Amino acid sequence: MQKVRSFVYWEEKIARGFLWASVLVTIGALLAVIFHILQHGLVHVNWEFLTREPLFMGKEGGIFPTIVSTVYLILISLAIATPIGIMAAIQLTEYTKKGPLVKIIRFATETLAGIPSIIFGLFGFAFLVLFMGFSWSLLSGGLTLAFMVLPTIVRTSEEAIKSVPLSFREGSMALGATKWQTVWKIVLPSALPGIVTGVILSIGRVVGETAAVILTAGSSLNIPSSIMDPARSMSVHLYILAMEGISMEKAYATATVLIILIFIINSIANRIMRKMSSNLAA
Amino acid sequence: MFKNTKKLMLVFAIILAAAVAFAGCGAKKEEAPKADGEKKGLSGSITIAGSTSVQPLSEELAKAFMAKNPGVTVNVQGGGSSAGVKAANEGAAQIGASSRDLKEEEKGLGLTETKIALDGIAVVVNPKNQVSELTMEQIKGIFSGKITNWKEVGGKDAPISVVNREEGSGTRGAFEELILGKGTKFTDKALTQPSTGAVRTTVAGDENAIGYISLGTLNEEVKGVKVDGVEPTIDNVKNGSFKISRPFLYLTKGEMNEVTKAYIDFVMSEEGQKIVKEAHFIPVK
Amino acid sequence: MRKIHETIIEKLLLFSAVVAVLVVALITYFIFADGFPVMQKYGIAHFITGSDWHPLDKQFGLLPMIAGSFLVTLGALIIGVPLSVGCAIFLAEIAPKQVTRIIRPAIELLAGIPSVVYGFYGLVILVPLIRELFGGRGFSILGGSVVLAIMILPTVVNISEDAIRAVPKEYKEGSLALGATHWQTIKKVIVPSARSGILTAIVLGMGRAIGETMAVIMVVGNVATLPESILDPIRTLTGNIAIEMGYAAGEHAQALFATGIVLFVIIMILNFMVTLVPKRIGE
């Protein structure tokens, strides 16, 4: 008996040890990446770096045009994906919930979510850049990114809409509102925080994408002056700085700016989510 | 499902409409800088796409040109030499940049070639490597995989790590033609890096590596070896004693528009060629 | 009047929902239209089983890239899955609430970091480290696997943790009441009950690893030959497309779209596998 017990005892110890170790390694590996980048990058990030134009392919100067381009890409892709995504989510949750069409739409959304970005890039290149004649431009890049983030927005909006209590809708309908009035005035406002979270997460995806952006938006370092101009996002700039060996300092600095940006985006999303859950609980 | 075809078409139409609307906004914006440029009388935007070796030079030239002509935007894109040829031919860019001579089948496309500079290709090794001189024959042996150890060419006993460019690269095309010649192939074992800078970084980080890069991008991170006893310098390329060199070409199709013509004239002018020299490439004039 | 209004809106909603279907159809069409003819011309077998990739000499063997994608992904799973599942169990079962509250957002933050940043880290830290520790050239399957393992950690941890938390409390209480220790309960009751969720997490992580492009290019060396050891450099399907796309013309470009088809089919099979995983044991 004693022997069995000690085996159980040791197994428990070892298991706990393994779990602790896996957490420490996971967090450690991830922190190591962040720490390394910040350690080498923070010193080079300053106001000038953020607001000046790059010189010599980015070897000197700042990253201002890439920030502008990144913002444009975010705006364009979300301006397209957000309304379509939310409307799709309303359709799937409030209007047709079952049937073959819904099944097909769901399958398509899931497929879209799983397609690697390089495939989106190839598609954007073949369809938008060449076939539609948009060339490498903010428009091609923005549309490609819109397709990429669409599933995220559909899914999070669906979840948010589903979590609105049925009694809200019943109350509204009982007062004589039409279905759309109910959706517009009652359901959407209640689901808004969840939807916003999805949109913010999509911003993160747009900011971080590289492969698809190079193939569709190009890599020009100018500040784009129209939607048909080519552009270079910050992630693409980092890739080029590092791979072309142009400047490791600037690469670290760009990576630092990216990490800080993602940190801010995530904190906002988290805050909204927390607010939402506390609102629902109340 | 057939019932939905119409709806699909409609959605498609909506996306298109949105796209056109966006494009419209963009077009309006584009007119804005015209006012500034009116004094000079030159405005518009052109795109140069192609070779990543030409890209840094094009960036500098474009910047100087834009400083002189505030109404003009010159976008410089990478993509590679073959993409440059394709872009110029299909009109995706006004100017295609190539870092190698056109191939036979490309010559039939009717593109106008403008040679804007010459560039040497330096064979580079890690600064810690004892080897600092190789013959053309040895280089051929190394890159074709016949010579695999540094001791065969006077170095220490260590395997040679060959770093190559990807197929389609102008630098690779020129190097293949000049060093390997017809019928000899690159070794399969070579690392492939997608840019000049990546090759340089790889060689800088690995004591046993060897690669080749544009002479203009040679820096202290790596060591350019003497080829047949000749140092890889701009002067030696110019006087023809350093044999591994290739042209930088700007390719245009048909009648050039005003801005494209002005830009190429600028590049070929004394001022433009001075920038070529400052960027460590070899002027053609 | 009101009715027309509502009808228009309903149509609009339906159109929006169909956009996803349309995009998938367009993607499939454009990838196949550009890639399939060349596959047919040289034979699908030539692409899938050929081991020579010399696109300018009309040699389009994708086997080294298929093997490359498969091997780095496998490596990433071997390194990443035990770690992240362990981490998920810890967060769901053992960690005090305050600890979870700190670690969870941290892991979510890491999920959002651009993949190039991970690739950059791999390039400047991992590659030289591998070269020093194990010899070889540094650019290797091992390097790619480690970078991908770090990248899939957040995905697998988050989804597995949700799955573990979703196991009904009664299961756990019942097991503990019968005298099992906490670890025995985790091993025999909780993890088996959450198995399908954990499996989904792993498959999703696998999808992310196979689909990753830029980070992998930066650390694997991109050699299009079959590797002999985990210290050998390789090239992945995604890398093949991204590296050569800019330079390709004619059949070379089409062959890259064909590479896209192969990748697309692999991902579709994975997606299909996710739908096969039962939501709960017994269903």
Side-chain angles (χ1 to χ4, degrees), chain A residues 8 11-12 15-16 18-20 22-23 25-27 29-30 32-34 36-37 83-84 87-88 90-91 95 101 104-105 107-112 114-120 122-123 125-127 131 147 150 176 178-181 204 208 210-211 214-215 235 238-239 242-243 248 251-252 255 258-259 262-263 266 270, chain C residues 2 5-6 9-10 12-14 16-21 23-24 26-27 30-31 34 82-84 86-87 89-90 94 103 105-110 112-118 120-121 123-125 150 153-154 157 181-184 186-187 211 213-214 217-218 238 241-242 245 256-257 260-261 263-264 267-268 271 275:
Chain A
V8 170
E11 192 191 3
E12 182 95 11
R16 270 181 183 269
F18 166 73
L19 292 183
W20 268 104
S22 60
V23 173
V25 171
T26 306
I27 300 292
L30 296 166
V33 176
I34 295 195
H36 175 82
I37 304 280
I84 295 179
M87 287 199 286
I90 295 172
Q91 171 71 28
Y95 287 80
L101 182 62
I104 293 170
I105 293 170
F107 179 73
T109 314
E110 260 157 47
T111 307
L112 215 51
I115 291 178
S117 59
I118 187 78
I119 300 271
F120 278 98
L122 270 185
F123 162 68
F125 178 71
F127 177 56
F131 182 77
F147 298 152
L150 187 62
T178 63
K179 192 158 197 182
W180 172 248
Q181 282 171 333
T210 314
I214 287 193
L215 285 175
S235 293
L238 167 59
Y239 175 76
M243 279 313 262
M248 283 297 152
Y252 275 116
L258 276 171
I259 288 182
I262 293 293
F263 184 71
N266 272 43
N270 263 331
Chain C
R2 175 178 276 179
H5 185 76
E6 294 268 322
I9 284 168
E10 274 172 34
L12 213 63
L13 293 176
L14 187 64
S16 302
V18 177
V19 168
V21 183
V23 172
V24 170
L26 276 175
I27 289 178
F30 269 89
I31 303 291
D34 277 317
L83 280 179
S84 38
C87 201
I89 295 172
F90 180 87
I94 292 176
I103 293 182
I107 289 179
E108 266 158 30
L109 166 68
L110 294 157
I113 289 180
S115 55
V116 232
V117 173
Y118 288 113
F120 180 54
Y121 180 78
L123 181 70
V124 292
I125 298 290
I150 296 178
L153 282 175
V157 170
T181 65
H182 194 181
W183 171 247
Q184 284 171 330
I186 290 171
K187 188 175 75 175
T213 310
M214 292 326 210
I217 291 179
M218 293 165 97
T238 52
I241 301 170
M245 197 58 220
L256 296 179
F257 276 92
I261 294 178
L263 183 62
F264 191 76
I267 293 287
M268 290 299 267
N271 280 1
T275 60

Side-chain angles (χ1 to χ4, degrees), chain A residues 243-278:
Chain A
M243 279 313 262
E244 301 275 342
I246 293 168
S247 161
M248 283 297 152
E249 271 175 30
K250 299 288 175 194
Y252 275 116
T254 311
T256 302
V257 175
L258 276 171
I259 288 182
I260 294 172
L261 191 65
I262 293 293
F263 184 71
I264 295 171
I265 290 172
N266 272 43
S267 326
I268 295 173
N270 263 331
R271 184 157 298 178
I272 295 173
M273 256 194 284
R274 212 171 298 153
K275 220 177 184 178
M276 182 175 63
S277 51
S278 66

Side-chain angles (χ1 to χ4, degrees), chain B residues 27-236:
Chain B
K28 252 177 244 158
K29 260 196 217 152
E30 217 171 340
E31 284 164 19
K34 252 184 195 163
D36 313 333
E38 240 161 19
K39 277 172 270 169
K40 311 250 176 197
L42 203 59
S43 74
S45 113
I46 56 169
T47 297
I48 307 171
S51 165
T52 45
S53 304
V54 185
Q55 201 178 358
L57 176 60
S58 294
E59 289 269 357
E60 288 315 302
L61 289 165
K63 200 163 279 167
F65 184 66
M66 285 190 283
K68 283 185 77 168
N69 302 280
V72 172
T73 311
V74 182
N75 290 305
V76 183
Q77 301 263 76
S81 292
S82 299
V85 176
K86 213 165 86 178
N89 187 44
E90 289 174 6
Q94 283 71 35
I95 300 176
S98 168
S99 57
R100 55 166 170 74
D101 276 316
L102 290 188
K103 292 175 190 162
E104 279 310 316
E105 65 266 27
E106 290 169 343
K107 279 189 174 143
L109 297 172
L111 295 166
T112 313
E113 299 173 37
T114 312
K115 195 194 276 182
I116 63 159
L118 270 178
D119 180 30
I121 300 176
V123 176
V124 293
V125 296
N126 191 281
K128 286 193 195 134
N129 198 323
Q130 306 154 15
V131 177
S132 53
E133 194 176 335
L134 291 166
T135 64
M136 288 282 237
E137 233 8 78
Q138 283 171 330
I139 296 172
K140 184 174 173 179
I142 289 171
F143 279 89
S144 61
K146 269 189 223 111
I147 301 174
T148 55
N149 196 303
W150 280 111
K151 70 179 179 198
E152 293 172 60
V153 290
K156 63 174 181 183
D157 184 9
I160 300 178
S161 171
V162 178
V163 186
N164 203 353
R165 291 288 306 278
E166 68 292 348
E167 287 208 36
S169 145
T171 315
R172 174 177 166 141
F175 189 81
E176 192 170 15
E177 206 180 298
L178 294 162
I179 299 281
L180 296 187
K182 278 223 161 73
T184 311
K185 275 192 176 151
F186 279 113
T187 165
D188 277 344
K189 301 277 177 236
L191 292 179
T192 307
Q193 293 293 15
S195 70
T196 283
V199 170
R200 195 179 61 202
T201 311
T202 307
V203 173
D206 184 351
E207 253 181 75
N208 301 318
I210 184 167
Y212 54 88
I213 61 174
S214 157
L215 187 58
T217 60
L218 187 61
N219 67 5
E220 66 291 345
E221 284 175 47
V222 292
K223 182 166 75 176
V225 298
K226 283 187 204 164
V227 178
D228 288 340
V230 184
E231 199 89 48
T233 61
I234 289 175
D235 288 335
N236 286 341

